[in-house]
Amino acid sequence: DMTTPDTAVSCPIAPELRAWLLRVLQKYGMFAVDAELVVTRLAEGERRGWPGAGFALLGELVTAFESGDIDPRARTLKPLDLPAFAVM
């Protein structure tokens, strides 16, 4: 489970950077608790040197939010919703 504290990798970042990243994610509608998790995972990717998994990924996330490819509130969108049938 990637959300439990015991699996989190400590990667301290400047408080100003953390605050800015949280503001950006929340500006696009992400819940505060989800934004905290994303910032933690971006910091983990940065610390571990994973290509494309660190802070550089923020631009791709913002682009996906703006294009509608990712719902920042993680809601499932149902294009068809009938009493006995739903397409997801």
Side-chain angles (χ1 to χ4, degrees), residues 6-87:
D6 58 305
T7 62
V9 173
S10 176
C11 180
I13 60 174
E16 297 83 5
L17 176 58
R18 177 175 285 283
W20 181 79
L21 290 166
L22 291 171
R23 280 194 310 273
V24 168
L25 294 170
Q26 290 174 21
K27 174 185 179 264
Y28 286 96
M30 189 172 280
F31 293 117
V33 67
D34 294 331
E36 281 284 350
L37 181 61
V38 169
V39 169
T40 299
R41 294 303 172 214
L42 291 175
E44 178 182 355
E46 194 73 24
R47 180 185 128 348
R48 291 185 180 209
W50 293 336
F55 299 127
L57 184 61
L58 183 66
E60 291 180 46
L61 289 173
V62 167
T63 299
F65 292 156
E66 290 175 343
S67 69
D69 290 341
I70 295 177
D71 182 348
R73 294 218 170 179
R75 294 176 296 238
T76 301
L77 304 176
K78 296 183 282 184
L80 179 61
D81 191 8
L82 302 171
F85 184 81
V87 175

